[in-house]
């Protein structure tokens, strides 16, 4: 039997794809930019497997146009770019990369919390631009004052793996932790994390820092709309490392301009890359990063390894270790035979 063909939409770090090559004919899109939808469609039609990123739109049209396609191995934990229901109906397996990026994303979240609270990026600009030098004083009692994190209330929206890893780190800052999720943790888990469940309204009203860790779904899209941003405490900080479309960015800009919120830190945006003339880029009290939650050498290599594990297990007729659409096994057995 000829090797099944896998189209990989970008080069991945590490040598995971070499391992995949023992089982698959691996075709890698070697440009820095994503393939266009048309290009992806053309490749998918000729492929038995795809490795996709969150920037690749895998809709029902693409799935239905690709009769050979059996597995989509997403190089991300989120998979809102893929029509999962359609994939399941057509017996196409979808896998993701949970777990391996939890700690890196929690670290970035904390980097953003501290950067926003202590105005790190603004302070860096202050030094480089010569503004500090112009003040003619090395130290002043009211220079670059920020917000103390220690002892404050942290509100975590979405208490999955990443939300919990953020909570664990908050212990070191002696924080009170409120969380909201559609699923409540067990009492033991709550106790271990020192986290208290709160309805969203109360979480927003009582938290000094609110951080988002939910997937993007129809329920979470626009969750932080104008009204809910208004429910946040005056002078609070909003951090988003999840998905851009969970927050109404225009409403956030307004709240920051009016001083309702003290600061915000965003790693994700409704449109990526974020256009540099977007009003949010004009504000001093925001920290902006280009969707780098999982961006460490270690994590991105582990994500590639997990993609390889999923593809190889599937090839061997086994259920892939991190299958998203578990019901698909009732539609078709794993493997290419
Ligand atoms: C990145 O945003 C991911 O979902 O892994
Ligand atoms: C993702 O890894 C999550 O469950 O938060």
């Amino acid at each position: 039997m000829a090797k099944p063909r896998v189209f990989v939409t970008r080069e991945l770090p590490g040598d995971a794809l070499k391992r995949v090559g023992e089982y698959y004919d691996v075709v890698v899109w070697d440009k820095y930019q994503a393939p266009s939808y048309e290009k992806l469609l053309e490749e998918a039609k000729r492929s038995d497997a795809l490795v996709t990123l969150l920037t690749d739109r895998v809709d029902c049209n693409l799935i239905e146009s690709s009769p050979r396609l059996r597995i989509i191995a997403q190089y991300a934990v989120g998979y809102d770019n893929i029509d999962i229901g359609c994939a399941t109906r057509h017996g196409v397996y979808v896998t993701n990369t949970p777990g391996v990026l939890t700690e890196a994303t929690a670290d970035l979240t904390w980097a953003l919390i501290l950067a926003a609270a202590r105005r790190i990026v603004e302070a860096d600009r202050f030094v480089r631009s010569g503004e500090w030098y112009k003040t003619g004083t090395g130290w002043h009692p009211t220079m670059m004052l920020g917000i103390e994190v220690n002892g404050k209330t942290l509100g975590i929206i979405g208490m999955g793996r990443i939300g919990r890893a953020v909570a664990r780190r908050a212990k070191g800052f002696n924080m009170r932790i409120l969380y909201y999720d559609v699923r409540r943790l067990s009492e033991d888990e709550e106790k271990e994390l020192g986290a208290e469940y709160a309805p969203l309204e109360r979480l927003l009203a009582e938290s000094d820092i609110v951080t988002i860790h939910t997937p993007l779904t129809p329920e979470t899209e626009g969750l932080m709309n104008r009204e809910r941003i208004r429910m946040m405490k005056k002078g609070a900080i909003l951090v988003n490392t999840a998905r851009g479309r969970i927050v109404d960015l225009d409403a956030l800009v307004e709240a920051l301009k009016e001083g309702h919120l003290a600061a915000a830190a965003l790693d994700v945006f409704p449109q990526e890359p974020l256009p540099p003339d977007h009003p949010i880029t004009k504000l001093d009290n925001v920290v902006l990063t280009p969707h780098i939650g999982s961006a460490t050498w270690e994590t991105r290599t582990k994500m590639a390894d997990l993609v390889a594990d999923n593809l190889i297990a599937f090839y061997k007729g086994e259920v892939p270790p991190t299958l998203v659409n578990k019901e698909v096994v009732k539609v078709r057995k794993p493997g290419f035979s």
Side-chain angles (χ1 to χ4, degrees):
M1 192 183 101
K3 282 180 178 174
R5 179 183 199 268
V6 58
F7 179 67
V8 184
T9 68
R10 229 67 62 78
E11 280 171 355
L12 304 181
D15 50 15
L17 289 180
K18 255 191 232 149
R19 209 150 49 84
V20 174
E22 291 170 26
Y23 304 87
Y24 289 78
D25 176 18
V26 179
V27 181
V28 180
W29 179 255
D30 60 5
K31 307 206 174 30
Y32 196 80
Q33 285 77 22
S36 66
Y37 179 75
E38 289 68 33
K39 181 68 192 168
L40 183 60
L41 188 60
E42 183 191 316
E43 292 291 344
K45 282 180 183 169
R46 307 162 53 204
S47 300
D48 306 286
L50 291 177
V51 174
T52 53
L53 311 189
L54 51 98
T55 43
D56 300 314
R57 180 158 57 93
V58 181
D59 58 11
C60 207
N61 173 54
L62 187 140
I63 291 166
E64 290 183 341
S65 309
S66 313
R68 282 172 54 182
L69 191 60
R70 293 287 179 274
I71 175 166
I72 302 164
Q74 168 95 337
Y75 183 72
V77 66
Y79 42 79
D80 46 272
N81 57 306
I82 302 172
D83 188 333
I84 300 293
C86 180
T88 305
R89 284 198 301 283
H90 291 86
V92 176
Y93 284 58
V94 179
T95 65
N96 66 340
T97 59
V100 293
L101 47 68
T102 302
E103 303 302 326
T105 307
D107 283 350
L108 183 83
T109 303
W110 267 97
L112 292 180
I113 289 172
L114 292 170
R118 299 302 301 273
R119 303 170 64 183
I120 301 295
V121 177
E122 200 186 339
D124 179 273
R125 283 195 295 260
F126 185 71
V127 177
R128 288 169 196 270
S129 65
E131 289 299 313
W132 186 32
Y133 193 76
K134 263 196 241 160
T135 65
T137 179
W139 200 91
H140 189 280
T142 61
M143 185 192 286
M144 284 283 156
L145 301 191
I147 292 167
E148 185 121 349
V149 171
N150 185 69
K152 292 285 167 64
T153 299
L154 177 66
I156 301 177
I157 302 177
M159 203 59 148
R161 283 170 293 255
I162 298 171
R164 292 199 296 269
V166 168
R168 285 201 312 273
R169 284 157 176 75
K171 279 191 179 173
F173 293 90
N174 305 308
M175 298 182 88
R176 170 177 174 238
I177 303 168
L178 299 177
Y179 80 95
Y180 170 75
D181 198 296
V182 285
R183 195 188 70 91
R184 239 187 115 149
L185 300 180
S186 70
E187 261 178 55
D188 283 350
E189 286 172 308
E190 286 184 356
K191 217 166 167 188
E192 198 188 317
L193 290 169
E196 179 192 340
Y197 177 84
L200 186 54
E201 286 70 26
R202 181 156 84 81
L203 179 148
L204 295 174
E206 294 183 15
S207 298
D208 301 289
I209 298 162
V210 172
T211 182
I212 303 171
H213 302 286
T214 63
L216 177 67
T217 65
E219 290 73 39
T220 63
E221 178 154 15
L223 183 74
M224 288 306 286
N225 56 16
R226 180 167 276 106
E227 193 190 344
R228 294 214 177 87
I229 291 173
R230 290 281 151 200
M231 286 180 193
M232 287 176 66
K233 220 167 152 173
K234 186 164 162 56
I237 295 174
L238 181 65
V239 177
N240 187 10
T241 57
R243 282 293 182 269
R245 277 152 57 201
I246 298 169
V247 177
D248 178 340
L249 199 51
D250 295 332
L252 178 62
V253 169
E254 261 176 41
L256 288 162
K257 272 191 183 164
E258 292 166 8
H260 180 67
L261 297 187
L266 307 174
D267 185 49
V268 289
F269 304 88
Q271 185 191 339
E272 296 177 359
L274 177 73
D277 58 356
H278 191 283
I280 191 109
T281 66
K282 310 297 177 242
L283 302 178
D284 279 330
N285 52 344
V286 293
V287 178
L288 307 172
T289 51
H291 203 148
I292 53 170
S294 64
T296 67
W297 283 105
E298 293 87 343
T299 287
R300 289 283 167 87
T301 304
K302 282 186 212 155
M303 288 164 66
D305 287 336
L306 191 46
V307 162
D309 293 346
N310 279 308
L311 286 173
I312 293 167
F314 185 84
Y315 177 94
K316 293 180 174 169
E318 296 160 10
V319 175
T322 53
L323 180 62
V324 168
N325 53 346
K326 306 236 185 311
E327 325 74 63
V328 72
V329 300
K330 290 184 217 141
V331 183
R332 196 175 356 231
K333 288 204 185 87
F336 294 101
S337 55

